Amino acid sequence: MAPRKRPETQKTPEVVVRPKSKRNRSPRELEPEAKKLCVKGPGSSRRFDSGCLWAGLASLQVPPLCSSIVRALHQHKLGTAAWPSLQQGLQQSFLNSLASYRIFQKAAPFDRRATSLAWHPTHPSTLAVGSKGGDILLWNFGIKDKPTFIKGIGAGGSITGLKFNPLNTNQFFTSSMEGTTRLQDLKGNTLRVFASSDTCNVWFCSLDVSVKSRVVVTGDNVGHVILLNTDGKELWNLRMHKKKVTHVALNPCCDWLLATASVDQTVKIWDLRQVRGKSSFLHSLPHRHPVNAAHFSPDGAQLLTTDQKSEIRVYSACRWDCPPSLIPHPHRHFQHLTPIKASWHPRYNLIVVGRYPDPNFKSCSPHELRTIDVFDGSSGKIMYQLYDPESSGIMSLNEFNPMGDTLASVMGYHVLVWSPEDAGTQK
């Protein structure tokens, strides 16, 4: 099929930069407004309750560990301190810094809700955001130039997957309800169509790319997963799930290891070197509800899954058969809401996910806020909650940039960028 050139127009998104003098109220200051929500501490067992922890809790807010980190670095250099203890100190220092995070830029460029988000792998201030109408925003918020806006087809063009090309970062891959998985340049021109359904009843819901193996994997709404090389040659096309494949992910360290998530309430693990049919999976991980996402951790040692109701799971990649760590968390599915997906911090063993308060959730409190929750990936304890009273919607997608110091969030039609207050005003 010959590549098609998508329509391209320029539009000036609404971008708001917050001045340094304007400080948002902290969750502690919002307690009267929230009628002083109850505070519950997480448990220590493998099953625990996230509760309603506030960023201002004395038990979580400890003095910065700068001197401890310097001491730990010195001890590590001398061989008297283990790397895990040093890493834990760095992680705690990062958690302390979250108290200074504020939304310093906003963009509202779409006429339909945002549906996907991807950071540029080498430019820490550049991100791409796709919308339900097929529009794509390429935004370098570190400069004053206008963002690039690529016009989509409108209804039926929803961008379901978005990833920069690791082999050429001036290009990006998209999967969409338009029925294609394609490679485009930064002007929106189609360079190659990797998969096309040629029917309005089948569309693509997810994609991932491997640099080492040079393969592209994409999943559709009827359970098929297609593997192609980066030259566009199809290697196989198999029905691996009974229903929609919501997410595909290649392990960053062992890129022959593939995880697929589906609304058929399973996550399956595959060895790409041994795929022979729908029954050739290595492991099948059943869930109680349909699954929105399955993300490998940056070191490839863990797998993070998000269902469509109230459970986040962390599996150990070396022990798939062992019970996972379960994190109760309200993020139920709603037809007109971009599905909530938990993600990893790129440098620390931390999980970030948006909260959608549910009155039927076990620990729900009256007037519970729609926060961004940060969990420890090892213990499952909630470590911090980010909240901005002027942006109080549901944060469906939340991802840190590759440097790990800037957070991008998707809230309905809006794209939000969080950064430490002092650093944000300098960008």
Side-chain angles (χ1 to χ4, degrees):
M1 178 177 178
R4 291 178 292 174
K5 182 175 180 180
R6 293 167 63 93
E8 175 192 354
T9 62
Q10 294 295 323
K11 176 181 176 181
T12 304
E14 176 190 342
V15 178
V16 180
V17 180
R18 297 192 172 219
K20 181 176 181 180
S21 61
K22 187 169 184 178
R23 296 179 58 93
N24 296 325
R25 290 176 295 168
S26 68
R28 171 65 67 185
E29 295 169 321
L30 288 167
E31 280 189 0
E33 180 180 314
K35 296 188 178 180
K36 296 186 178 180
L37 304 183
C38 65
V39 175
K40 299 179 181 180
S44 58
S45 64
R46 289 185 67 87
R47 292 187 65 92
F48 35 78
D49 195 334
S50 63
C52 304
L53 293 184
W54 291 105
L57 289 178
S59 60
L60 297 181
Q61 293 302 307
V62 297
L65 300 180
C66 296
S67 60
S68 299
I69 291 173
V70 173
R71 189 183 308 113
L73 283 168
H74 179 65
Q75 292 174 345
H76 179 68
K77 186 175 181 179
L78 295 176
T80 58
W83 173 250
S85 62
L86 176 60
Q87 183 74 359
Q88 188 62 34
L90 292 170
Q91 178 170 303
Q92 185 59 57
S93 179
F94 169 76
L95 288 169
N96 293 337
S97 74
L98 289 176
S100 66
Y101 271 61
R102 301 290 184 269
I103 295 174
F104 78 94
Q105 286 200 10
K106 284 185 180 181
F110 305 127
D111 56 5
R112 291 175 172 85
R113 58 184 165 85
T115 55
S116 55
L117 171 69
W119 282 98
H120 194 282
T122 58
H123 296 168
S125 62
T126 299
L127 68 153
V129 186
S131 81
K132 187 172 175 60
D135 305 327
I136 297 173
L137 175 73
L138 299 171
W139 185 18
N140 182 355
F141 52 81
I143 61 176
K144 294 182 179 180
D145 293 348
K146 294 180 181 179
T148 299
F149 186 88
I150 302 170
K151 184 68 175 177
I153 66 171
S158 179
I159 303 297
T160 56
L162 188 59
K163 189 177 181 68
F164 281 94
N165 183 3
L167 300 173
N168 183 344
T169 55
N170 290 320
Q171 304 168 354
F172 59 90
F173 293 89
T174 61
S175 60
S176 72
M177 288 187 67
E178 187 180 351
T180 61
T181 294
R182 66 177 75 210
L183 178 67
Q184 299 176 243
D185 63 20
L186 299 186
K187 294 182 179 180
N189 299 314
T190 297
L191 304 176
R192 176 175 285 125
V193 175
F194 282 85
S196 177
S197 65
D198 296 321
T199 170
C200 61
N201 296 321
V202 178
W203 60 87
F204 295 94
C205 310
S206 51
L207 71 90
D208 202 1
V209 184
S210 166
V211 179
K212 184 177 180 182
S213 297
R214 299 204 171 201
V215 296
V216 178
V217 60
T218 184
D220 67 22
N221 66 311
V222 293
H224 288 87
V225 177
I226 305 173
L227 183 72
L228 312 102
N229 63 26
T230 50
D231 292 327
K233 180 182 178 181
E234 184 178 295
L235 303 178
W236 46 254
N237 181 345
L238 298 169
R239 193 178 187 199
M240 293 178 160
H241 289 272
K242 296 179 181 179
K243 298 180 180 179
K244 181 198 298 185
V245 179
T246 55
H247 198 92
V248 293
L250 294 162
N251 190 295
C253 298
C254 302
D255 56 1
W256 45 263
L257 196 64
L258 170 70
T260 59
S262 172
V263 296
D264 67 6
Q265 300 180 212
T266 65
V267 173
K268 294 181 179 180
I269 310 300
W270 310 81
D271 184 339
L272 294 182
R273 304 167 300 180
Q274 301 177 6
V275 172
R276 298 293 181 270
K278 63 181 181 180
S279 300
S280 59
F281 53 83
L282 298 178
H283 297 278
S284 180
L285 311 175
H287 287 62
R288 296 187 181 96
H289 302 281
V291 186
N292 281 338
H295 287 284
F296 285 104
S297 58
D299 62 3
Q302 298 178 96
L303 181 70
L304 170 68
T305 68
T306 313
D307 72 0
Q308 289 188 359
K309 189 164 180 68
S310 58
E311 194 172 83
I312 298 170
R313 298 187 180 191
V314 180
Y315 291 86
S316 174
C318 62
R319 297 180 297 171
W320 296 112
D321 295 332
C322 291
S325 295
L326 305 180
I327 306 176
H329 182 266
H331 51 258
R332 64 194 187 278
H333 184 74
F334 178 60
Q335 180 182 0
H336 301 294
L337 174 72
T338 297
I340 295 174
K341 300 179 180 182
S343 65
W344 293 100
H345 189 279
R347 292 174 176 253
Y348 304 116
N349 192 16
L350 297 172
I351 297 166
V352 58
V353 59
R355 175 177 290 258
Y356 182 10
D358 183 354
N360 297 318
F361 189 63
K362 180 180 177 181
S363 64
C364 183
S365 301
H367 308 284
E368 187 172 334
L369 301 178
R370 296 167 174 176
T371 56
I372 299 173
D373 301 339
V374 180
F375 290 90
D376 185 286
S378 298
S379 66
K381 294 180 179 179
I382 191 167
M383 307 304 293
Y384 205 90
Q385 290 183 300
L386 286 169
Y387 180 75
D388 184 326
E390 296 180 8
S391 301
S392 57
I394 299 168
M395 308 286 184
S396 295
L397 304 176
N398 303 276
E399 292 189 20
F400 278 93
N401 69 347
M403 294 290 291
D405 61 353
T406 304
L407 176 67
S409 300
V410 161
M411 181 189 73
Y413 294 66
H414 301 273
V415 184
L416 314 174
V417 180
W418 303 72
S419 184
E421 188 169 32
D422 293 338
T425 56
Q426 295 172 6
K427 292 185 178 181

